[in-house]
Amino acid sequence: MAHTRRPIERPLSPHLGIYRMTLTMMMSIVHRITGGALFFGTLLMAWWLLAAAAGPTAYAKVQAFMGSIIGLLILFGYTWALIHHMLGGVRHLIWDTGRGFGPAEREWLTLATLIGSIGLTLLIWIVGFIFMGGAR
């Protein structure tokens, strides 16, 4: 006769359904997503550098792509991901010092990260368009 094993009694983790999604939780997820997006954006930067080293024809092809609507949207998203990830890192640095863990402080830092990343991205692109003469 087969001997049946009794299951081990282990504590169960609370199901995610009981948690209310907060802005801090959402920005933690977005921070991870932007980290992954930066990997692919860095591949675009490497493509641009390789094309610049390869010669004028290759560089012109990359510039044509980057200057298209799709290219500009990708570059805008890359800029936002870079700024957002950086500000998220600053928020984590503040937390590493033991500050900003109160509920109001956490929400303020998270909101500052979100608003700051959007604002700085727009500022960088506006200044870039002004000084670089707009889209070519």
Side-chain angles (χ1 to χ4, degrees):
M1 181 163 172
H3 192 57
T4 58
R5 248 173 94 173
R6 206 172 131 187
I8 299 171
E9 296 290 327
R10 294 187 176 132
L12 297 177
S13 179
H15 191 269
L16 289 175
I18 66 171
Y19 291 112
R20 181 180 60 90
M21 185 64 85
T22 63
L23 186 60
T24 305
M25 294 165 96
M26 206 55 175
M27 288 301 104
S28 176
I29 294 166
V30 171
H31 184 76
R32 294 167 197 271
I33 291 169
T34 57
L38 290 176
F39 169 77
F40 293 105
T42 303
L43 291 176
L44 285 175
M45 297 285 289
W47 179 37
W48 179 72
L49 288 171
L50 287 170
T57 305
Y59 186 73
K61 288 179 184 176
V62 172
Q63 285 296 96
F65 172 74
M66 296 295 185
S68 71
I69 296 293
I70 299 292
L72 289 173
L73 285 173
I74 290 171
L75 289 174
F76 186 81
Y78 181 74
T79 306
W80 176 79
L82 188 63
I83 299 295
H84 188 273
H85 200 77
M86 179 195 66
L87 291 178
V90 170
R91 184 184 66 202
H92 280 273
L93 180 64
I94 292 169
W95 286 345
D96 287 344
T97 66
R99 294 176 178 86
F101 285 115
E105 297 159 326
R106 241 184 7 250
E107 289 296 313
W108 185 88
L109 279 172
T110 303
L111 201 56
T113 300
L114 182 61
I115 293 170
S117 65
I118 293 169
L120 284 173
T121 301
L122 289 173
L123 180 68
I124 287 169
W125 275 73
I126 290 169
V127 168
F129 267 80
I130 290 171
F131 287 110
M132 300 301 289
R136 297 174 189 203

